[in-house]
Amino acid sequence: MKPTIYDIAREAGVSIATVSKVINNTGRIGDKTKQKVMKVMKELDYQPSIVASALTGKRTHTIGLLIPDIANPFFAEIARSVEDMGNELGFSVMMCSTDNNIDKESKYISLLEQKRVDGIIIATGTRNTDVLQNLLKKKLPIALIARDLPSLPVDTVLVDDYMGGYEATSHLISLGHQKISIIAEDLKVMSSKERIRGYRQALEDHGMEYDEEQIHVSDFTIEGGREVAATILAENNPATAIFACNDLLAMGVIQAAREIGVEIPSDLSIIGFDNTILASLCDPPLTTIAQPIQDMGKQVVELLVKEIKQEKQSKQRVVLMPSLEVRNTTSDNTKNLV
Amino acid sequence: MKPTIYDIAREAGVSIATVSKVINNTGRIGDKTKQKVMKVMKELDYQPSIVASALTGKRTHTIGLLIPDIANPFFAEIARSVEDMGNELGFSVMMCSTDNNIDKESKYISLLEQKRVDGIIIATGTRNTDVLQNLLKKKLPIALIARDLPSLPVDTVLVDDYMGGYEATSHLISLGHQKISIIAEDLKVMSSKERIRGYRQALEDHGMEYDEEQIHVSDFTIEGGREVAATILAENNPATAIFACNDLLAMGVIQAAREIGVEIPSDLSIIGFDNTILASLCDPPLTTIAQPIQDMGKQVVELLVKEIKQEKQSKQRVVLMPSLEVRNTTSDNTKNLV
DNA sequence: ATGAAAGCGCTAACAG
DNA sequence: CTGTTAGCGCTTTCAT
């Protein structure tokens, strides 16, 4: 069996209270006893049980990370930065892929509560406000990343989606495109709405017409992007540029274009969003709006941990700026220059 | 405060033992009391504390997953399948990215022990046999995925790397390539050795010369692949085909080739290993050796959980077959046909 | 400076 | 069929 605090106490000839104190470096213990206890702990390869410690009201030092899918490069990258920062601050992270499914989400959250995690970071897109509201009531610290729920008083870290949408569209416009389609993820999700708003504003600022018809909705899969793009390209007088609201969608657009022989970027310009590893590897490399993933992950964890340690009273929203990453899927709209 | 078993007991007018029994569905309890208790649990939104339950010797229903990097698509995909299967069997997974760093690995393992995880799945590549040996001694269930440690009696799920190396090389040979380089991950790691052995055997079976000079070593990063490939392509009479031991490496090779104007596949054929999402998205799409990731993840979890539940006595090795996925980075070696 | 003891929320005999 | 009770390993007053 694993040695317990009793074994250490016995072996060191002290009480368990003393051992506990040296473990936690609390109270006052003589230097000799301290050394002695530490020595015994080493010898017996003793590891305090976090489970037992948590039962007495201390933290579990574990946080939950709710994301749509860990196999999605964008979220995998977020997960990595969350894990790194969490680890640095002494927290392990439990991963929960919800597929944006409301049931899975609830189930996972309930599970995390049972396991008494110290806090939860949420990146999933469901508009599951009730469950979150509930968490809030229970005082379970939560923080949002890459996701916005303005109605909820929670720490949030995200990119300025409106700005991103604006920049993406402006880039396309500056290249001479007159008909620009947008493929959004989900009209009900805030970030999606904001990107569309940015798209619209850019159009209007440049005196171009905003046409509802050009708004297409898909999900966050390659397949989804492929299908929608196929529809768009099959139109009579198809758009010469497509703004895909995430890189995965953009991959789908590239595939769809390739399938019907549409050249990128000469026949069709494409811009994505996220700047995942895919953007630099696909063919041709994708022009996209970059999110500062590392920074975002780092900041949510910091916020959440402060919340956990009750080192702060007010909730915060930190909005980071996205940036345009020009690669090879966008170019002058030569067709219209003829 | 969260309601405890005492709250339920009081509210339902029974003892905590009774409540415990209805929670775990053990012992015999009258139907009425059962209903009553369940009703109260619902009303108070009671969730049994897994922490407390674990302290009494029951499982934590949590497993650790040690991988080099969750942001690496191959491991992210593994993680997803592990998470899904784990979830299905009632286990949460804690993610641990070690960067193949021996210290991080030890630290994470120690942490997982403290948190009393029920078992650990290991996919990291360090030859950290001591730590594992230790785990084995402590009877902590562990299982290996995509990784082989023949000296250790542990459940293992992997692909036949030798076969994969053989197929990859044979494919290249069948295309007429006479000079084939291989970029391996780490000569000390079993899977790497096996892939090289397969490469060598294929060469010999086809009456071709095996040349140590053609074995190059890198890591598992794009950058690493790029650098090594640059070296290879800068040789006097460079290889006409490269077998990159993982997809990431292959991405680097593609980049290196592009940088110096070497056409793929006409000037250079490339084959990867893993068949991650990258393989289908890069440009040109990568011919590669596919690992049945879903199946692998599913099977390790099953093995580990059986081990945890002590439903099996003997350790097992399951070796799955890889398969060749032909895409566009390999073609006839036309040069030599001239 | 150190120890005794109560208690965290739950499980598992053992009684009744 | 249900309740009493003794832990599980640790933290935390409160004495000494």
Side-chain angles (χ1 to χ4, degrees), chain A residues 2-3 45 47-52 54-55 60-62 65 68-71 73 76-77 79-80 83-84 87 90-97 99 104 107-108 110-111 113-116 134 138 222 248 251 255 258 277-278 280-284, chain B residues 2-3 45 47-52 54-55 60-62 65 68-71 73 76-77 79-80 83-84 87 90-97 99 104 107-108 110-111 113-116 134 138 222 248 251 255 258 277-278 280-284:
Chain A
K2 286 182 90 63
D45 187 24
Q47 297 166 305
S49 161
I50 293 188
V51 169
L55 190 55
T60 53
H61 289 277
T62 302
L65 175 63
D69 179 12
I70 191 69
E77 288 169 32
R80 182 48 139 109
E83 189 199 326
D84 283 351
N87 205 239
F91 290 80
S92 307
V93 4
M94 235 146 182
M95 67 186 201
C96 311
S97 296
D99 289 320
K104 279 194 192 179
K107 198 166 151 263
Y108 264 126
S110 169
L111 204 56
E113 285 185 85
Q114 284 198 37
K115 301 208 168 164
R116 301 297 188 263
N134 215 292
K138 293 180 185 166
I222 295 176
L248 239 30
M251 298 297 123
Q255 290 186 0
R258 199 180 341 249
I277 187 174
L278 301 180
S280 57
L281 294 177
C282 66
D283 167 44
Chain B
K2 286 181 89 68
D45 189 24
Q47 298 165 304
S49 161
I50 293 188
V51 169
L55 189 56
T60 53
H61 289 280
T62 302
L65 175 62
D69 179 12
I70 190 70
E77 289 170 31
R80 182 48 140 108
E83 189 199 325
D84 283 350
N87 205 241
F91 290 79
S92 308
V93 5
M94 237 148 177
M95 66 185 199
C96 310
S97 295
D99 288 320
K104 280 195 191 176
K107 198 166 151 265
Y108 263 127
S110 169
L111 203 58
E113 285 184 85
Q114 284 197 39
K115 301 207 169 165
R116 302 294 187 267
N134 215 292
K138 292 179 184 166
I222 295 176
L248 239 32
M251 297 298 122
Q255 290 187 0
R258 198 179 343 247
I277 188 175
L278 302 180
S280 57
L281 295 177
C282 66
D283 166 45

Side-chain angles (χ1 to χ4, degrees), chain B residues 52-73:
Chain B
S53 146
L55 189 56
T56 73
K58 306 206 67 169
R59 320 220 149 83
T60 53
H61 289 280
T62 302
I63 61 180
L65 175 62
L66 250 53
I67 50 180
D69 179 12
I70 190 70
N72 173 322

Side-chain angles (χ1 to χ4, degrees), chain B residues 140-152:
Chain B
L140 211 186
I142 61 182
L144 266 34
I145 180 169
R147 169 153 177 45
D148 204 7
L149 247 31
S151 60
L152 248 44

Side-chain angles (χ1 to χ4, degrees), chain A residues 66-170:
Chain A
L66 250 54
I67 51 181
D69 179 12
I70 191 69
N72 174 322
F74 175 65
F75 293 105
E77 288 169 32
I78 284 202
R80 182 48 139 109
S81 67
V82 164
E83 189 199 326
D84 283 351
M85 193 62 201
N87 205 239
E88 204 168 298
L89 299 180
F91 290 80
S92 307
V93 4
M94 235 146 182
M95 67 186 201
C96 311
S97 296
T98 68
D99 289 320
N100 271 341
N101 174 96
I102 204 160
D103 290 328
K104 279 194 192 179
E105 196 169 313
S106 308
K107 198 166 151 263
Y108 264 126
I109 287 182
S110 169
L111 204 56
L112 291 173
E113 285 185 85
Q114 284 198 37
K115 301 208 168 164
R116 301 297 188 263
V117 297
D118 296 329
I120 303 182
I121 292 176
I122 300 174
T124 51
T126 26
R127 46 229 147 289
N128 197 344
T129 322
D130 290 358
V131 185
L132 301 191
Q133 205 91 51
N134 215 292
L135 255 25
L136 245 31
K137 237 180 309 187
K138 293 180 185 166
K139 303 275 183 212
L140 212 186
I142 63 181
L144 265 35
I145 179 169
R147 169 151 178 45
D148 204 7
L149 248 29
S151 59
L152 249 42
V154 291
D155 289 306
T156 307
V157 175
L158 38 50
V159 100
D160 190 327
D161 289 298
Y162 166 78
M163 198 66 209
Y166 191 92
E167 279 191 37
T169 312
S170 298

